[in-house]
Amino acid sequence: MCGPGPTICQPGPQRCLAHWLTGLTNMTYSHSTVIPHEPPENVNDITDHDTSQQRFDVYEAYQSALSDEQISPPVAAILSLTELITCSDAGTMFELVRALNDGAETLKKRVPNLIGLTAGCELFIGFVTLFPHESANFSELKREIVRHGKSYASHAINFRSKIAELTLGFIKDDSVILTHSYSRVVIRALLHAHTRKRISVYVTEARPRGLGLKTYEILTTAGIPCTVVLDSAVAYVMDKVDFVLVGSEAVVESGGLINAVGSSQIAIIAKAQNKPFYALAESYKFHRLFPLSQILSFGRPTNRPSTEQVHASLESRNNATVSDEHTSTSAGLSTASPQRTMTLEQMSRNPDVDYTRPDLISLVFSDGVSQYLVGMFAGCSS
């Protein structure tokens, strides 16, 4: 990477992503291989949305993709935009890019957490606009773009396995690891390490949504010794762990990390106690964003929770009750005491993510594509 920041640890580029790397990194193409992006002569003749696009709901396609537990928001965004291309009657590149931008804006208006969604939309739209083609006509070009989009999404699931294998070399036998909240790639890395080495894990509960409890259930089911700790007890347990391992919502241009709220303070504590802070990030999570501060970058929490936030909050409160009852029983206390949980309004006043500065991050593990994205984002060769 250019400038100060964490080291990016990754294998070499993979052949199956060659088309994507070409589109993302080769910023200059011959005029004979690129469809011009200029609008047609009479732009007023273009309707805002054709009939097929009116029937297609990009948000419904996005939610359908997310119903697969292995699909993350950036990949779901890519899949929903590929479906939009399939349903679009766009006859020029100008119309197609405009339809994709409109679809991306529609998603941004309806999704509470925009970080991963925006990263996926920007990656795919950037690919479409730079895609080198040899298509005989525009319909064939659209089919080729859709095919590459779906192929990329199917390969993207394997990125976590590559990162898990790369992380294994940094996990010693009998390691004690602290992780935060819930991350698919972190869980994949821990499960992989468990097959080769003896490890134990501390996981934060990650209030108010309580996603750390989900991580705890997955790891204990797999036979990994795991302990849930209070978010406020991170400093207490830091002395017991060998390193911190977290996932990411996005890796930004500064080399910093956007992740579940609480990650920043964990990184600060780890730095103060000289414990390595490792982050795992798939290449599609590298985001063209340069945070200047927490509030200026992500805005203030809204006062009214969305439908998605309400459902997550209700699930969190149910998990909180189960957890609190278990704690009270094990401590020999009465379970009849009232449960103190945050209301939906209180939850809505708290952010979902925060920003971790690059100087607090020891190493970022990624698959073998991010070096090209980092070079493009920073405006320099990698």
Side-chain angles (χ1 to χ4, degrees):
M1 291 182 61
C2 298
T7 302
I8 307 293
C9 187
Q10 59 202 358
Q14 302 298 315
R15 179 166 182 163
C16 62
L17 299 173
H19 292 287
W20 278 77
L21 295 180
T22 302
L24 288 169
T25 59
N26 296 338
M27 304 302 291
T28 304
Y29 301 100
S30 64
H31 292 289
S32 62
T33 60
V34 177
I35 288 182
H37 293 195
E38 291 81 5
E41 294 182 1
N42 190 0
V43 180
N44 295 328
D45 291 341
I46 304 176
T47 57
D48 291 338
H49 295 282
D50 53 73
T51 306
S52 62
Q53 283 182 245
Q54 290 178 348
R55 290 196 300 265
F56 175 73
D57 188 342
V58 67
Y59 178 73
E60 183 179 343
Y62 176 77
Q63 291 296 328
S64 176
L66 281 181
S67 62
D68 185 343
E69 181 66 23
Q70 298 302 315
I71 300 296
S72 58
V75 178
I78 292 172
L79 287 173
S80 61
L81 292 181
T82 58
E83 289 193 39
L84 187 150
I85 293 177
T86 302
C87 298
S88 171
D89 288 338
T92 66
M93 181 61 76
F94 175 79
E95 292 177 338
L96 181 61
V97 172
R98 187 178 65 171
L100 290 173
N101 284 323
D102 289 345
E105 288 302 317
T106 299
L107 289 174
K108 292 175 185 178
K109 291 177 181 178
R110 301 183 65 178
V111 176
N113 185 358
L114 301 181
I115 302 298
L117 169 69
T118 304
C121 290
E122 288 183 352
L123 179 63
F124 185 70
I125 294 175
F127 163 72
V128 171
T129 57
L130 296 174
F131 182 64
H133 70 93
E134 298 178 357
S135 306
N137 55 65
F138 194 73
S139 296
E140 182 180 338
L141 172 62
K142 289 200 297 183
R143 287 192 295 269
E144 191 173 353
I145 291 175
V146 169
R147 180 173 61 83
H148 281 290
K150 292 181 178 180
S151 175
Y152 178 82
S154 63
H155 283 99
I157 297 177
N158 297 325
F159 292 174
R160 300 184 191 120
S161 297
K162 299 174 186 176
I163 296 173
E165 186 64 34
L166 193 63
T167 309
L168 185 64
F170 289 77
I171 301 177
K172 298 179 180 179
D173 206 22
D174 289 324
S175 290
V176 181
I177 305 167
L178 172 65
T179 189
H180 178 55
S181 190
Y182 170 79
S183 167
R184 298 175 184 87
V185 65
V186 169
I187 289 176
R188 179 69 62 86
L190 293 175
L191 293 177
H192 182 61
H194 177 60
T195 63
R196 308 283 187 86
K197 302 176 182 181
R198 291 168 295 181
I199 62 171
S200 58
V201 178
Y202 285 99
V203 56
T204 57
E205 58 176 352
R207 292 297 175 191
R209 292 187 293 170
L211 291 179
L213 300 176
K214 182 177 181 180
T215 301
Y216 169 81
E217 292 174 359
I218 295 173
L219 296 182
T220 53
T221 300
I224 300 176
C226 187
T227 303
V228 179
V229 298
L230 299 171
D231 296 327
S232 55
V234 169
Y236 178 83
V237 302
M238 188 63 71
D239 191 50
K240 302 178 181 179
V241 306
D242 296 304
F243 60 88
V244 180
L245 190 67
V246 300
S248 63
E249 291 277 343
V251 178
V252 295
E253 291 185 83
S254 63
L257 181 73
I258 299 174
N259 195 37
V261 65
S263 299
S264 179
Q265 61 195 31
I266 294 176
I268 292 172
I269 295 171
K271 184 78 169 181
Q273 298 196 24
N274 295 317
K275 298 297 176 70
F277 185 92
Y278 299 142
L280 310 183
E282 300 93 323
S283 57
Y284 50 74
K285 291 182 178 179
F286 281 69
H287 192 10
R288 298 201 70 171
L289 180 68
F290 201 104
L292 299 177
S293 69
Q294 302 288 354
I295 293 179
L296 290 179
S297 300
F298 314 120
R300 296 180 181 276
T302 58
N303 291 333
R304 297 181 61 185
S306 65
T307 303
E308 291 82 359
Q309 290 173 322
V310 169
H311 290 164
S313 300
L314 290 174
E315 182 179 355
S316 174
R317 295 187 70 176
N318 292 335
N319 289 338
T321 302
V322 173
S323 177
D324 291 340
E325 287 178 354
H326 175 73
T327 303
S328 299
T329 302
S330 62
L333 301 177
S334 172
T335 59
S337 60
Q339 304 300 327
R340 294 183 177 87
T341 58
M342 296 176 69
T343 64
L344 296 180
E345 181 182 1
Q346 290 171 332
M347 291 181 183
S348 69
R349 293 179 180 272
N350 284 270
D352 290 326
V353 297
D354 62 18
Y355 170 63
T356 303
R357 304 192 316 266
D359 60 293
L360 300 174
I361 304 171
S362 305
L363 198 63
V364 175
F365 294 87
S366 186
D367 53 272
V369 189
S370 59
Q371 58 188 9
Y372 296 93
L373 297 175
V374 172
M376 185 178 72
F377 292 169
C380 61
S381 59
S382 54

